[in-house]
């Protein structure tokens, strides 16, 4: 099922969406205006648009530019929250995970198995086993199971399932299921879903001032970062989905009260699949003294993380230090037979969790702060949301829209439990036909599965580009996991405006390739240039800026403290004309995966 023109986020539709936002005057305001283009903001725009309201969304940088592209890439209930006795959060997250798997996003979310190793046979089997049994039991309340039941693994069976584990330390395990996704792609699909339902959705558009009529917020003044043009957007209700930028935006609005959000840094590393032998599609979860360690199978590599440390630097420049990387390697090696080294690390990415701080607390124990979300009217007409988990983004969106419109549109019920994310309709039929599609276009089994997981039913759009220009069926020379058609589609349908948008978020080359996509920058820039109207000088500048940005990230990974790491990342913008640490950054909101 091909997408409709309304869902396309092309240069042409971007101009149209900007014009629609500018047309939202005091006499003809938007019903809902969302500030922040992460998973919560995009989810709120989709939710409000499906209720039949006029909706706008702006994001100062790219969709999912912040935390929403830097998670563990899991849709899960959160086993460790059971240990914290947070049963409500776990049950809600499991319901949302199953809804995504079975109804609203089966093309973007898929089951993944995890092995939870035992180090003390009797104690761990009883303690971990009872926790996972409860976790599984909560998935059967009032609905059909979306993933298989857990099972216990003895030492011999475990050696066959995950032979990379250290057999001298591990005495058995328990295998259970959760789900995984590509976080940045998920947000892009949500943004397009909002546009499909007639929302005006624009990236690289920054809020520079909140508009007031007396004490009431009635919209915002925004600046198109591509042209520098400023204009007012009026709205009956404004929703701030700001993640770790929430307090900055509350201050910009002049709010005397608001939500307090603590930033916690989490880093992940990637290593090649062959570095850790295991049965396909099976990962590891184990506890550390500070957080949880995941070893997650993802495409042709492993994602390993995470850390959980307070971030005191500019929230616009999260960065990993050498010590962070060593910490992850050390804890992975504590359970692996063959030890990983820094030479095994292909990529590193860093995100900040927006953690609600309901009361002032001393110390740096950020893991004690609530993961649950809160909605608050920080000024009349301005509603903020923060906290939560990536998995519960839909509930967060529903709650913030319900709260914001309760007076203006009473009775407008949420519909997103039944309206799927774009690309879901028709996905199953393409899965049935995937062998024929693969033969026609010369795809191997890995590529056709990857394309279906990235695009769902929208794969037909990509194939139409190849039919029109067969040269687009060639892989990128220096990033062969992706086709040239995917780069063209990113700029003509998915809102990409810069080389970094493609290499970091429309593809994940910045952590899937050892050079972080630097060598692919020229080829990507050449594909983007004619669509975006770049001349040869701008094309070269885009590619070089991305390479310089990656070099800055690599410098940060050689530092030993957060201040030096942040300074390294802040020294170079990701895209021409954009400084990473700009204080006026209008954020995206997300929640922890």
């Amino acid at each position: 099922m091909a997408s409709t023109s309304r869902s396309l986020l092309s240069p042409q539709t971007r101009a149209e969406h900007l014009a629609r936002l500018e047309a939202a005057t005091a006499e003809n305001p938007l019903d809902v205006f969302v500030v922040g283009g992460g998973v919560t903001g995009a989810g709120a725009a989709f939710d409000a648009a499906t209720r039949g309201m006029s909706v706008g969304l702006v994001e100062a940088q790219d969709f999912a530019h912040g935390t929403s592209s830097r998670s563990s890439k899991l849709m899960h209930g959160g086993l460790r929250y059971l240990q914290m006795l947070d049963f409500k959060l776990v049950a809600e997250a499991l319901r949302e995970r199953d809804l995504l798997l079975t109804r609203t996003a089966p093309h973007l979310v898929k089951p993944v198995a995890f092995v939870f190793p035992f180090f003390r046979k009797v104690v761990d089997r009883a303690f971990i086993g009872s926790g996972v049994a409860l976790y599984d039991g909560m998935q059967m309340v009032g609905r059909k199971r979306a993933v298989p039941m857990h099972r216990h693994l003895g030492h011999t069976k475990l050696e066959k399932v995950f032979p990379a584990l250290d057999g001298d330390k591990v005495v058995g395990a328990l295998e259970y299921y959760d789900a995984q996704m590509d976080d940045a792609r998920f947000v892009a699909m949500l943004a397009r879903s909002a546009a499909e339902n007639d929302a005006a959705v624009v990236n690289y558009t920054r809020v520079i001032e909140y508009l007031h009529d007396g004490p009431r917020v009635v919209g915002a003044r925004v600046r198109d970062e591509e042209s520098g043009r400023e204009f007012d957007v009026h709205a009956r209700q404004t929703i701030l989905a700001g993640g770790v930028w929430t307090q900055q935006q509350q201050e910009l609005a002049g709010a005397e009260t608001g939500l307090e959000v603590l930033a916690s840094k989490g880093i992940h590393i990637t290593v090649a699949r062959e570095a850790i032998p295991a049965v396909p599609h099976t990962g590891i979860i184990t506890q550390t003294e500070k957080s949880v360690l995941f070893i997650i199978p993802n495409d042709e590599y492993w994602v390993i993380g995470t850390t959980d440390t307070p971030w005191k630097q500019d929230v616009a420049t999260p960065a990993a230090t050498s010590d962070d990387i060593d910490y992850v390697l050390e804890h992975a090696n504590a359970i692996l037979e063959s030890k990983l080294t820094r030479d095994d690390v292909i990529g590193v990415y860093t995100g900040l969790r927006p953690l609600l701080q309901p009361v002032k607390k001393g110390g740096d124990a950020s893991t004690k702060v609530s993961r649950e979300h809160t909605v608050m009217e920080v000024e009349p007409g301005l509603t903020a949301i923060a906290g939560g988990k990536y998995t519960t983004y839909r509930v967060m969106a529903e709650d913030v829209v319900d709260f914001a419109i309760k007076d203006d549109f009473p009775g407008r019920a949420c519909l997103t439990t039944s309206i799927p994310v774009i690309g879901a309709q028709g996905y199953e039929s393409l899965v049935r036909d995937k062998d024929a599609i693969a033969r026609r276009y010369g795809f191997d089994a890995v590529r056709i599965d990857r394309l279906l997981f990235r695009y769902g039913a929208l794969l037909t759009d990509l194939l139409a580009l190849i039919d029109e220009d067969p040269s687009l069926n060639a892989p990128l020379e220096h990033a062969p996991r992706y086709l040239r058609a995917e780069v063209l589609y990113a700029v003509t349908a998915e809102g990409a405006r810069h080389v970094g948008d493609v290499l970091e978020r429309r593809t994940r080359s910045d952590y899937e390739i050892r050079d972080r996509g630097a060598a692919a920058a020229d080829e990507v820039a050449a594909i983007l240039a004619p669509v975006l109207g770049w001349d040869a000088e701008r094309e070269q500048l885009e590619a070089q800026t991305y390479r310089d940005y990656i070099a800055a990230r690599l410098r940060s990974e050689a530092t030993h403290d957060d201040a030096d790491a942040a300074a390294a990342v802040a020294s170079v913008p990701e895209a021409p004309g954009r400084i990473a640490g700009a204080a006026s950054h209008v954020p995206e909101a997300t929640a922890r995966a």
Side-chain angles (χ1 to χ4, degrees):
M1 179 180 176
S3 61
T4 68
S5 59
R6 283 196 309 183
S7 74
L8 297 178
L9 299 180
S10 68
Q12 293 74 26
T13 56
R14 183 176 187 275
E16 294 168 5
H17 286 198
L18 284 168
R20 287 168 53 195
L21 291 176
E22 189 169 7
T25 62
E27 296 73 29
N28 185 34
L30 294 171
D31 295 328
V32 175
F33 181 50
V34 181
V35 179
V39 69
T40 308
F46 178 40
D47 180 295
T50 57
R51 302 192 199 200
M53 291 178 284
S54 59
V55 178
L57 177 146
V58 295
E59 161 60 40
Q61 298 199 53
D62 189 22
F63 303 119
H65 183 275
T67 313
S68 287
S69 60
R70 308 177 193 190
S71 73
S72 296
K73 309 186 194 313
L74 297 174
M75 293 291 194
H76 64 151
L79 257 181
R80 71 165 170 158
Y81 301 129
L82 281 184
Q83 190 175 351
M84 301 175 186
L85 306 180
D86 199 341
F87 301 112
K88 178 179 179 292
L89 180 63
V90 174
E92 182 177 75
L94 287 171
R95 284 196 304 271
E96 292 300 309
R97 182 204 68 183
D98 290 358
L99 181 67
L100 290 160
L101 281 168
T102 59
R103 187 184 306 172
T104 57
H107 56 311
L108 300 173
V109 182
K110 63 183 178 182
V112 61
F114 284 101
V115 167
F116 204 138
F118 301 150
F119 301 97
R120 299 163 299 173
K121 189 169 184 178
V122 176
V123 175
D124 283 356
R125 191 175 295 277
F127 180 70
I128 297 172
S130 61
V132 175
L134 176 59
Y135 193 71
D136 262 350
M138 294 171 77
Q139 300 172 48
M140 296 188 292
V141 178
R143 64 185 183 275
K144 184 179 178 181
R145 292 191 61 83
V147 297
M149 286 283 290
H150 72 278
R151 61 171 180 159
H152 285 264
L153 304 176
H155 191 274
T156 301
K157 182 65 175 178
L158 178 60
E159 285 184 330
K160 294 179 181 178
V161 172
F162 214 105
L165 284 170
D166 189 336
D168 292 334
K169 295 180 180 178
V170 178
V171 297
L174 188 147
E175 183 185 64
Y176 77 101
Y177 284 80
D178 257 315
Q180 65 182 156
M181 47 78 186
D182 179 336
D183 48 11
R185 173 141 298 276
F186 193 89
V187 174
M189 290 294 218
L190 275 179
R192 291 189 62 188
S193 298
E196 174 76 10
N197 286 274
D198 215 26
V201 178
V202 187
N203 55 358
Y204 293 106
T205 304
R206 184 185 304 274
V207 168
I208 57 176
E209 180 186 353
Y210 285 90
L211 305 177
H212 287 79
D213 182 2
R216 185 175 184 82
V217 172
V218 292
R221 186 164 183 80
V222 303
R223 180 173 65 236
D224 173 11
E225 296 288 74
E226 302 290 283
S227 68
R229 190 167 60 86
E230 299 178 5
F231 58 89
D232 293 344
V233 181
H234 286 82
R236 291 183 174 86
Q237 295 291 334
T238 300
I239 291 174
L240 170 57
V244 291
W245 287 273
T246 297
Q247 289 173 240
Q248 290 183 15
Q249 290 302 299
Q250 290 171 162
E251 291 171 7
L252 183 63
E256 295 182 358
T257 186
L259 299 174
E260 186 176 359
V261 176
L262 187 69
S264 174
K265 181 174 72 167
I267 83 138
H268 295 77
I269 65 173
T270 58
V271 302
R273 180 61 67 89
E274 56 268 24
I276 305 176
V279 169
H281 313 301
T282 300
I284 291 288
I285 177 176
T286 189
Q287 281 192 299
T288 69
E289 71 278 8
K290 294 181 181 179
S291 184
V292 171
L293 179 77
F294 285 107
I295 301 177
I296 307 166
N298 199 316
D299 204 278
E300 297 175 291
Y301 53 91
W302 297 94
V303 174
I304 308 177
T306 180
T307 60
D308 195 355
T309 56
W311 180 253
K312 307 292 187 179
Q313 310 305 313
D314 189 339
V315 294
T317 56
T321 65
S322 178
D323 296 350
D324 291 330
I325 297 168
D326 288 343
Y327 174 90
V328 173
L329 287 171
E330 176 189 347
H331 284 79
N333 286 337
I335 60 173
L336 294 176
E337 181 77 43
S338 298
K339 308 308 179 185
L340 300 171
T341 71
R342 290 292 285 265
D343 290 339
D344 291 306
V345 177
I346 295 171
V348 179
Y349 64 89
T350 309
L352 299 178
R353 304 177 186 91
L355 307 180
L356 272 178
Q357 179 129 28
V359 293
K360 292 275 188 184
K361 293 183 179 180
D364 288 334
S366 64
T367 55
K368 295 180 182 178
V369 177
S370 173
R371 297 294 201 265
E372 293 187 40
H373 69 272
T374 295
V375 177
M376 182 179 185
E377 183 182 73
V378 298
E379 285 195 300
L382 178 61
T383 301
I385 183 166
K389 287 166 47 65
Y390 206 119
T391 311
T392 59
Y393 86 91
R394 193 205 61 79
V395 175
M396 295 170 67
E398 178 182 357
D399 286 351
V400 73
V401 173
D402 280 348
F403 187 94
I405 70 167
K406 63 183 183 300
D407 295 326
D408 293 329
F409 300 97
R412 292 277 187 104
C414 175
L415 302 174
T416 53
T417 56
S418 57
I419 298 179
V421 177
I422 192 171
Q425 296 280 30
Y427 166 66
E428 294 299 337
S429 64
L430 283 184
V431 171
R432 289 193 295 270
D433 295 339
K434 71 175 186 176
D435 291 340
I437 295 170
R439 285 193 299 271
R440 178 180 173 185
Y441 292 92
F443 301 151
D444 61 20
V446 172
R447 189 174 298 280
I448 187 62
D449 286 341
R450 180 187 299 132
L451 289 170
L452 283 167
F453 185 49
R454 283 172 54 74
Y455 300 98
L458 301 188
L459 178 58
T460 55
D461 291 351
L462 198 75
L463 299 179
L465 292 177
I466 294 172
D467 291 340
E468 185 176 337
D469 180 358
S471 71
L472 294 172
N473 199 16
L476 292 171
E477 181 180 358
H478 297 290
R481 187 174 275 108
Y482 302 99
L483 302 175
R484 288 172 59 84
E486 294 183 79
V487 177
L488 182 60
Y489 192 69
V491 68
T492 57
E494 297 180 334
R497 304 288 299 173
H498 300 281
V499 169
D501 299 342
V502 174
L503 290 173
E504 290 194 87
R505 288 170 292 278
R506 305 310 183 278
T507 74
R508 311 318 301 269
S509 300
D510 70 311
Y511 61 75
E512 292 178 336
I513 305 173
R514 195 168 289 277
D515 77 346
R516 316 293 178 90
D522 285 329
E523 187 175 6
V524 169
I527 296 172
L528 299 185
V531 182
L532 293 171
W534 296 343
D535 58 18
E537 182 180 1
R538 178 55 184 258
E539 179 184 329
Q540 183 179 14
L541 177 63
E542 284 276 346
Q544 187 58 48
T545 301
Y546 179 78
R547 286 191 288 269
D548 291 344
Y549 170 72
I550 290 300
R553 278 177 49 177
L554 291 171
R555 288 196 299 273
S556 81
E557 293 165 20
T559 65
H560 294 281
D561 65 73
D562 286 347
D564 289 342
V569 171
S571 66
V572 179
E574 180 191 300
R578 254 161 286 284
I579 302 301
S584 59
H585 177 79
V586 173
E588 54 128 299
T590 186
R592 174 163 192 192

